[in-house]
Amino acid sequence: MSGLIGDAGFDQELLVELGLSVGAAVVWWLDLDAGELGWMPGLDAVIGVPGADQETVRARLAELTAPLNVATKAAAWQDFELEQPLETPIGTRWLQFRTRVSTHGSARALVGVVADVTRRHVQQQELADLADRYRLLVDLAPEAIVVHEAGLLVYANPAAVQFVRARSESDLIGRPITDFVHPDSQQDMMQRISKLTEPGATSDPADAVLVRFDGGTTDIESVSVRTTWEGRPAFQVIMRDVTEQKAAAAVLRYQAALAAHVSDALIATTSDGVVTSWNRSAENVYGRRAAEAIGQSIGHVVGAPLDPLEVLEAGGVVHAVHRRSDGGALAVRVSVARMDDGYVLICADETARRRAEHHFTSVVAAIEEGVLVVGATGLVESVNPAAERILGVRAQEVIGQPASLAELHDESGQPVPHDQYASAITRATGKAQHGRILRARRPDGSHVWLSLSARALTQDGMMPSATVISFTDITERRMIDSQLEHEATHDALTGLCNRTVTINRLSPAARAHRSGLTAVLFIDLDKFKVINDSLGHSAGDEVLRVVGSRLSRSSRRGDVVGRLGGDEFTVIAYGVAGPDEATSLADHVRAELNRPISVDGRRLHVDASVGIVLAEPGDPRDGADLLRDADLAMYHAKTRGRGRIAFFDVELRDRIQRRLQLEQDLRTAPLSDQLWVAYQPIVDLRTDERTAVEGLLRWTHPRYGLISPAEFITLAEESDLINIVGAHMLHTATREIADLAPGLELTVNLSARQLDDPWLVSAIRHATHKAGLDPSSLCLEITESALTRDPALAARTLTALRDLGVRLAIDDFGTGYSSLAQLLTLPLDTLKIDRSFTTGLGRSDEAEAIVTSIIAMAHAVDMTVIAEGVEQVEQLEILRTLGCDQAQGFLLGRPVPLADL
């Protein structure tokens, strides 16, 4: 073999080539025919047996190269490579064997070199760690980062997904990047990336507007970098939200710059520990420029004893306290790797992290939220003071105990099995548990409600995992929630069920399991407003409380009693046999309510109107529908005289719905030209000439057609619309008559409710002035009943109207309770005889006598007399004979529109 190795021919070139391929290496060989191993000096140290005898070296070399020997015999190729781990006291080393089959004459040998490649393995691992760190940095960065190739997005980090309000990365991948860039920003973007022609080229930061999925926009600052994606040219874009205030934006820019530029200090030394390389991060960490550090002892420049060899022999990593050039202490993690002629040190400044850990520990100890750390074995490892206080335990008593130390129950009161504890589930599955509401039993027997969460401390998915449990004492909040729930479902004044609960109890699902009929009693107190107005709301509230209590006592067990609001109550009676039983229940309720109620020393009597709805189990109406129908029945009971009971039927619903519809439509009728005025002539019986017309309001409804005045005038009076309707008629009639015949007198009816209107005089003054009608041409008719409601108020209003210049008439005289004495006190001009007396003329001497008396009485006080309802010639002649001044009726003219007057 010596000839094989010593020859300066082919094999010498072989050795040179192998040696160059691995750097510093030691030559070894194997005679394939004789099976003998040989090596050059220094092999013993490389293969981990420095200073050993030849047999030990041969044995170790044979063991390491055995796979190559086998491969040589089995394979047809000539070159072989093998890497083998070598365990040493200071850790695992890696050896690389590179060999080639060499022939010299008839002799065949396996010639190779062996080199220590541990450093390369470490570097590869560091590169892999660096790649992972970069990936995490990109994935977790607050800035949005995307990559687009040929204008299409191929990557987006989670922040980018959030920036555009997308659901996931899949919503972005494959979409043109211009879909997310505002049109005003697209041209600038294309110009910037067109200048990035070389890999690694970076654009200057530029402002742009990002378009989000929700249609909104976000102002961003973006930087584009020319890169590659799967070997093809691409662009990476880093985007930062700059819509926040300038101060916050400055902080974010500072944090982004810090994250982008701070890294570990990299230092190279000789084998004697003299610094040969000092990077910029080392300058920042230690406060020394490279020129000051290079050539100095490593211990001197880091401000603490540091022997790279000792670190290497201790495992390659140590934690130490170093000093900056200004004397400041640094918590540093030192990693050492050997070089050919020295060492490489990576000094990671962990001062901030150590300080953060200290702060974190302090914060956990200070926060009001309980925190427990449970190890992988399920035993408690740490407990903060808040957890001690909330659970009623002491840390020294529970550390080392199972995490199931407290007995837990769920919201329904059922005990929670130990394997279903949040910490147990998280340790077993790694899945976090959030916001579980549980009741824990303290050692003293008391209970506390907790909102509890659990999360694995490690994020690598390895099981079992240590777990952190956090919880908040929500006992007080639970009590408040319970109170709020009661308040949300019950009336605050009476404690009865409120409208929401009542409707739920009347739902088809709630009635489905009930046998028999369900009776809904809608109870409304009669004239309760009088109690509130006369005695005050405190007395009214006391009455309502007593009524609620009596309703609860008078109802059957299982029935639902509720207050719907104001003085409206309801009783839901299940299993009613029929209408008779429902009536008996309503009578019983009314009898209980009729008993005197003592309030502030007064004995009050309360009655009620009751509407009843009966529903079978299969009735499809929901709770709101049943209450509505019961309300309609109650309303019907009130219209029949109060203190009554009425059952609901479909016809009643139709009538009430028509009434409600008419009331609603009457509010808009004046604005939609549905109201118009018909005019009936009034004739002077002395000259047979038309001297006046009476304006009569008419309503043509778009759905129901012509509505009777008796229906809609009554509706207007009861719904407080009479003033609006009356004002509309007054303006219309005065305008039309003024335009048609300025000298023609106009008579218009006033409702009793209009006399109560303090703006009546102003409205009449405005109407006549706007129409250009002389107030003396207007006569206002008031019924006797209007005068008897409040005579004093009526007298004041009529006097004000008379002062305005209008004339006044009393309508339907003889049907009320007026007297001559009362008439003498009022400023009246005209008296109208009711049609009921006119109809009797010619058929009844009594009617003629009454009319004669009325005419005489009116003339005695200088009042003009008008007879209404003249339909026959005989009636007209009798009125002339009796001296009646004027008349109106179908004989003389029917009410007609203005165009037909």
Side-chain angles (χ1 to χ4, degrees):
M1 291 299 297
S2 61
L4 189 68
I5 299 305
D7 198 327
F10 170 78
D11 297 303
Q12 185 67 29
E13 294 176 358
L14 179 149
L15 290 176
V16 171
E17 183 178 347
L18 290 174
L20 291 175
S21 66
V22 297
V26 178
V27 179
W28 64 277
W29 59 88
L30 171 64
D31 188 331
L32 294 176
D33 296 327
E36 293 182 0
L37 282 167
W39 59 86
M40 297 293 288
L43 182 69
D44 53 342
V46 174
I47 64 176
V49 287
D53 54 44
Q54 288 194 357
E55 290 303 320
T56 301
V57 174
R58 182 177 289 105
R60 174 63 63 86
L61 180 61
E63 176 186 356
L64 293 173
T65 60
L68 293 172
N69 190 13
V70 174
T72 303
K73 297 175 180 179
W77 54 82
Q78 299 295 311
D79 295 331
F80 301 92
E81 183 177 329
L82 172 68
E83 289 192 3
Q84 290 279 52
L86 181 63
E87 300 298 332
T88 70
I90 62 173
T92 302
R93 293 170 50 207
W94 286 87
L95 304 179
Q96 183 186 58
F97 294 86
R98 295 180 62 88
T99 64
R100 180 174 295 175
V101 176
S102 174
T103 59
H104 189 75
S106 61
R108 295 176 66 250
L110 187 64
V111 181
V113 294
V114 58
D116 187 338
V117 294
T118 303
R119 178 185 176 189
R120 191 191 68 193
H121 272 263
V122 172
Q123 291 175 339
Q124 289 175 342
Q125 182 61 44
E126 289 177 348
L127 287 175
D129 291 344
L130 185 61
D132 287 342
R133 185 181 306 168
Y134 175 76
R135 177 181 57 79
L136 288 174
L137 181 63
V138 172
D139 285 346
L140 300 178
E143 290 83 6
I145 300 175
V146 299
V147 177
H148 61 95
E149 175 196 346
L152 300 180
L153 290 172
V154 294
Y155 170 78
N157 73 339
V161 176
Q162 295 178 0
F163 263 43
V164 297
R165 305 293 195 272
R167 292 171 299 180
S168 65
E169 182 184 8
S170 60
D171 291 340
L172 306 180
I173 301 306
R175 295 275 297 271
I177 190 171
T178 52
D179 285 358
F180 305 101
V181 180
H182 194 275
D184 294 342
S185 302
Q186 291 182 10
Q187 183 176 359
D188 291 342
M189 179 193 74
M190 301 304 295
Q191 290 177 351
R192 286 196 303 273
I193 64 176
S194 66
K195 298 177 182 179
L196 306 179
T197 58
E198 298 295 331
T202 304
S203 70
D204 293 331
D207 292 336
V209 178
L210 197 66
V211 179
R212 304 194 303 259
F213 269 77
D214 60 7
T217 60
T218 300
D219 293 332
I220 62 167
E221 181 184 78
S222 68
V223 174
S224 297
V225 181
R226 177 67 178 266
T227 184
T228 59
W229 183 264
E230 296 182 351
R232 298 183 297 274
F235 296 93
Q236 177 176 309
V237 183
I238 302 97
M239 295 169 284
R240 183 164 57 87
D241 188 346
V242 294
T243 57
E244 297 295 334
Q245 296 179 351
K246 291 183 179 180
V251 172
L252 290 177
R253 285 195 299 271
Y254 170 76
Q255 293 176 342
L258 187 64
H261 298 294
V262 171
S263 59
D264 298 337
L266 300 178
I267 307 170
T269 72
T270 64
S271 58
D272 297 331
V274 177
V275 176
T276 59
S277 177
W278 185 268
N279 74 341
R280 180 173 296 178
S281 293
E283 293 181 334
N284 295 333
V285 170
Y286 291 100
R288 295 179 186 274
R289 293 183 300 170
E292 299 173 357
I294 294 175
Q296 300 294 322
S297 166
I298 183 65
H300 171 72
V301 294
V302 302
L306 177 57
D307 185 345
L309 180 59
E310 289 183 1
V311 175
L312 199 60
E313 292 176 345
V317 178
V318 296
H319 294 274
V321 175
H322 292 176
R323 295 286 175 179
R324 287 177 49 83
S325 61
D326 58 7
L330 299 170
V332 181
R333 180 180 181 272
V334 182
S335 301
V336 176
R338 190 188 299 275
M339 291 195 310
D340 291 339
D341 55 352
Y343 305 94
V344 172
L345 293 83
I346 302 175
C347 298
D349 183 4
E350 296 185 340
T351 306
R353 184 176 67 82
R354 296 286 182 84
R355 185 181 299 114
E357 288 176 351
H358 176 71
H359 290 172
F360 174 76
T361 303
S362 301
V363 168
V364 170
I367 61 175
E368 292 297 316
E369 188 175 24
V371 177
L372 277 73
V373 176
V374 179
T377 60
L379 301 180
V380 177
E381 295 182 350
S382 68
V383 181
N384 77 335
E388 292 181 291
R389 173 179 52 79
I390 294 173
L391 297 179
V393 298
R394 291 191 300 175
Q396 58 266 34
E397 296 174 351
V398 298
I399 291 178
Q401 298 298 315
S404 56
L405 55 95
E407 181 182 323
L408 300 180
H409 291 76
D410 60 22
E411 292 186 272
S412 65
Q414 297 297 317
V416 179
H418 289 173
D419 61 351
Q420 291 302 307
Y421 277 37
S423 58
I425 294 175
T426 299
R427 287 201 322 276
T429 66
K431 295 181 179 179
Q433 304 289 301
H434 296 291
R436 291 184 59 179
I437 306 301
L438 300 166
R439 179 167 57 88
R441 187 175 186 273
R442 293 189 177 107
D444 62 3
S446 62
H447 292 86
V448 59
W449 282 96
L450 306 175
S451 175
L452 184 144
S453 300
R455 180 183 292 275
L457 278 175
T458 57
Q459 303 298 322
D460 55 9
M462 299 296 292
M463 302 300 164
S465 171
T467 305
V468 60
I469 303 170
S470 59
F471 48 87
T472 305
D473 183 354
I474 61 169
T475 305
E476 183 178 355
R477 192 181 79 192
R478 288 281 298 191
M479 295 174 62
I480 294 174
D481 289 346
S482 178
Q483 179 65 26
L484 291 176
E485 181 180 1
H486 182 273
E487 292 175 357
T489 57
H490 290 76
D491 175 53
L493 180 64
T494 63
L496 301 177
C497 297
N498 62 11
R499 178 181 290 271
T500 301
V501 175
T502 301
I503 291 175
N504 289 338
R505 299 293 180 87
L506 285 174
S507 66
R511 292 183 280 112
H513 64 283
R514 304 280 187 173
S515 60
L517 300 173
T518 297
V520 184
L521 278 62
F522 196 106
I523 304 163
D524 184 273
L525 304 184
D526 292 335
K527 299 182 179 180
F528 177 73
K529 186 176 184 298
V530 175
I531 297 176
N532 267 341
D533 293 344
S534 59
L535 301 181
H537 287 281
S538 60
D541 289 347
E542 180 60 25
V543 170
L544 293 176
R545 280 191 286 267
V546 173
V547 168
S549 176
R550 291 184 179 181
L551 287 176
S552 296
R553 291 199 306 268
S554 61
S555 61
R556 308 170 309 168
R557 177 176 296 181
D559 291 349
V560 177
V561 181
R563 182 186 177 208
L564 303 177
D567 60 342
E568 295 178 341
F569 296 83
T570 184
V571 175
I572 304 172
Y574 300 107
V576 175
D580 291 342
E581 185 176 355
T583 301
S584 298
L585 178 59
D587 288 336
H588 179 61
V589 166
R590 288 190 59 242
E592 283 293 310
L593 297 182
N594 282 335
R595 292 191 295 108
I597 299 175
S598 296
V599 177
D600 296 335
R602 297 174 181 266
R603 290 172 61 84
L604 305 178
H605 292 271
V606 176
D607 202 350
S609 299
V610 183
I612 303 176
V613 169
L614 296 177
E616 297 180 352
D619 194 312
R621 287 176 290 181
D622 60 19
D625 292 337
L626 290 175
L627 273 186
R628 177 203 61 201
D629 292 343
D631 189 9
L632 292 178
M634 182 277 298
Y635 180 81
H636 182 57
K638 279 192 177 293
T639 61
R640 292 167 54 195
R642 304 180 185 275
R644 302 293 184 92
I645 298 172
F647 281 86
F648 169 81
D649 58 39
V650 176
E651 182 181 351
L652 172 63
R653 178 195 292 166
D654 294 340
R655 292 200 308 272
I656 299 299
Q657 287 183 344
R658 171 186 165 91
R659 180 183 178 85
L660 294 175
Q661 184 65 52
L662 288 179
E663 179 182 340
Q664 183 65 30
D665 293 344
L666 187 56
R667 296 181 183 275
T668 59
L671 302 178
S672 54
D673 295 329
Q674 297 176 23
L675 297 178
W676 55 280
V677 181
Y679 299 95
Q680 186 175 30
I682 299 175
V683 176
D684 188 324
L685 295 183
R686 293 184 298 271
T687 63
D688 287 336
E689 293 181 355
R690 182 182 64 188
T691 59
V693 291
E694 181 177 1
L696 301 170
L697 189 62
R698 296 292 185 264
W699 183 13
T700 303
H701 192 277
R703 175 181 176 187
Y704 300 116
L706 194 62
I707 307 297
S708 167
E711 181 178 8
F712 77 81
I713 293 298
T714 302
L715 181 63
E717 289 182 333
E718 293 180 356
S719 60
D720 292 332
L721 293 172
I722 190 63
N723 291 328
I724 298 175
V725 172
H728 175 76
M729 177 190 176
L730 198 61
H731 280 272
T732 302
T734 54
R735 185 186 70 251
E736 291 181 346
I737 292 303
D739 292 342
L740 178 67
L744 190 64
E745 294 180 356
L746 171 66
T747 299
V748 176
N749 288 289
L750 278 186
S751 165
R753 297 291 294 273
Q754 287 178 277
L755 284 179
D756 299 336
D757 183 9
W759 301 100
L760 174 63
V761 177
S762 298
I764 293 174
R765 180 188 298 110
H766 180 261
T768 54
H769 176 75
K770 185 176 181 180
L773 184 71
D774 191 329
S776 62
S777 298
L778 177 63
C779 180
L780 302 176
E781 297 183 1
I782 302 97
T783 61
E784 282 189 89
S785 58
L787 300 177
T788 58
R789 288 183 58 193
D790 189 342
L793 176 62
R796 289 195 300 271
T797 304
L798 294 180
T799 300
L801 291 173
R802 188 62 176 274
D803 293 342
L804 187 63
V806 301
R807 295 181 300 108
L808 303 173
I810 182 168
D811 194 14
D812 299 335
F813 185 79
T815 61
Y817 301 96
S818 300
S819 65
L820 180 60
Q822 183 180 14
L823 294 178
L824 289 175
T825 63
L826 299 175
L828 299 174
D829 300 289
T830 302
L831 183 151
K832 299 189 75 171
I833 301 173
D834 186 70
R835 67 178 61 249
S836 62
F837 300 117
T838 304
T839 302
L841 294 177
R843 294 182 298 175
S844 168
D845 293 339
E846 181 180 357
E848 187 171 334
I850 293 174
V851 171
T852 301
S853 300
I854 293 175
I855 293 173
M857 180 177 63
H859 285 169
V861 291
D862 294 328
M863 295 176 64
T864 300
V865 180
I866 301 175
E868 295 181 308
V870 178
E871 298 181 358
Q872 298 176 6
V873 175
E874 183 181 5
Q875 297 170 352
L876 185 63
E877 293 304 324
I878 293 174
L879 289 170
R880 278 199 180 99
T881 302
L882 295 178
C884 184
D885 301 306
Q886 298 176 4
Q888 68 182 104
F890 288 172
L891 178 65
L892 302 173
R894 293 177 176 271
V896 294
L898 179 69
D900 300 333
L901 182 59

